[in-house]
Amino acid sequence: MTLTLDHRPEAPAGPPKLGPAELRLAQQETLDTPRMAYSLLARMMFRPVDLLYGRQGSFTKFAMLEIIARVPYQAWERMGYWAVHRHAGRSALAERVFERIVEARADQDNEQWHLLIMQDLVQRHGHRQTWLLHRAAPWLISFFYYHVSWVLFLVRPDWSYRLNAEFEDHAEHEYMTFVADNPHLEHTPDPGTYAERYGRYGSVADLLRQIGHDERTHKLDSLESMREPRVR
């Protein structure tokens, strides 16, 4: 027996890949745009990160941030599967919830590529990572962020989306500022370790600009989700 599907939903393509000129324009747009007014919860995460890893950007700091960046999408995915089970008897609603799950998974995967790229750059530049700062601390902060994300989503989903938008806005500005402060990256070749899946860029500067633009896309998606936080 052969099963024929009329329509098979595809996973989201992820943030758009930009060319060199577009990446420079995106960077300037970020630098010209003020940061969001961060909430107390957001500042509670940013402050210890700055204290532990320094206020200035670095590959090791970005690797740590990317560990945390996946957390809200994991929390939303968990809540989504719970909602699918709860609304299993309403197939149309369950399908719309599952579409949100697919989107959250795609964003989570994009953040995972960022982490792999950052870890590769850390290793290539010979930066030292300690167990306390680069294993234990990220786990503790991620543990806090995860539970805050899903509790907020349970109580007021728009609050959870807002917190993620603030985190992504922070990351966007961190990446773009780091590139501006380190002009030598313009002449550092992209190692292309994950080029097959993420794309190859003319320099590490452009690679980081692309990651920064990805974070902007995630931020805008979260702000859009705030308009209709609950699937109906």
Side-chain angles (χ1 to χ4, degrees):
M1 177 179 178
T2 302
L3 177 65
T4 302
L5 297 178
D6 294 331
H7 172 68
R8 180 171 182 170
E10 299 293 335
K17 300 300 183 185
L18 306 183
E22 294 173 311
L23 289 169
R24 288 180 178 274
L25 178 60
Q27 179 189 13
Q28 193 58 51
E29 289 172 347
T30 298
L31 297 177
D32 291 342
T33 303
R35 295 179 184 238
M36 295 175 65
Y38 299 141
S39 64
L40 176 61
L41 276 173
R43 296 197 303 272
M44 285 174 61
M45 288 190 297
F46 300 155
R47 187 174 298 278
V49 169
D50 288 343
L51 289 174
L52 292 172
Y53 305 93
R55 294 185 61 85
Q56 302 301 317
S58 66
F59 294 142
T60 51
K61 182 178 182 180
F62 293 148
M64 188 272 187
L65 288 174
E66 294 299 348
I67 293 174
I68 303 171
R70 304 169 300 173
V71 165
Y73 305 108
Q74 294 169 345
W76 298 340
E77 183 180 9
R78 173 193 174 188
M79 296 299 293
Y81 282 121
W82 177 79
V84 167
H85 175 74
R86 179 184 177 190
H87 301 297
R90 302 170 62 188
S91 58
L93 177 58
E95 182 177 1
R96 291 194 294 272
V97 172
F98 187 70
E99 288 173 355
R100 285 279 183 100
I101 294 173
V102 172
E103 292 171 1
R105 183 73 220 187
D107 290 339
Q108 183 184 159
D109 289 346
N110 181 252
E111 299 289 10
Q112 180 64 51
W113 285 116
H114 295 172
L115 174 58
L116 293 173
I117 290 168
M118 286 302 109
Q119 288 288 16
D120 180 66
L121 291 173
V122 167
Q123 294 168 13
R124 287 178 180 275
H125 287 78
H127 297 311
R128 182 170 174 265
Q129 291 179 297
T130 65
W131 180 87
L132 178 61
L133 288 182
H134 301 97
R135 290 185 180 273
W139 185 89
L140 289 172
I141 297 175
S142 295
F143 182 84
F144 169 79
Y145 192 17
Y146 179 88
H147 286 85
V148 167
S149 293
W150 80 258
V151 168
L152 287 180
F153 194 85
L154 185 65
V155 177
R156 282 283 302 270
D158 56 314
W159 290 352
S160 188
Y161 287 125
R162 169 72 189 195
L163 182 59
N164 185 64
E166 292 171 353
F167 189 93
E168 300 288 13
D169 179 78
H170 177 266
E172 173 194 349
H173 281 84
E174 289 288 299
Y175 277 113
M176 298 304 196
T177 301
F178 180 70
V179 172
D181 291 343
N182 292 273
H184 69 278
L185 296 175
E186 304 286 357
H187 310 290
T188 304
D190 171 13
T193 306
Y194 299 101
E196 184 177 344
R197 296 296 300 274
Y198 192 77
R200 181 180 291 276
Y201 298 86
S203 65
V204 170
D206 276 352
L207 175 63
L208 297 181
R209 289 185 182 108
Q210 178 63 60
I211 294 176
H213 187 264
D214 289 354
E215 310 295 20
R216 181 196 299 181
T217 302
H218 296 321
K219 173 185 70 177
L220 295 176
D221 287 345
S222 286
L223 292 175
E224 179 65 26
S225 294
M226 286 179 64
R227 299 182 181 181
E228 191 174 354
R230 295 189 186 277
V231 179
R232 303 183 188 279

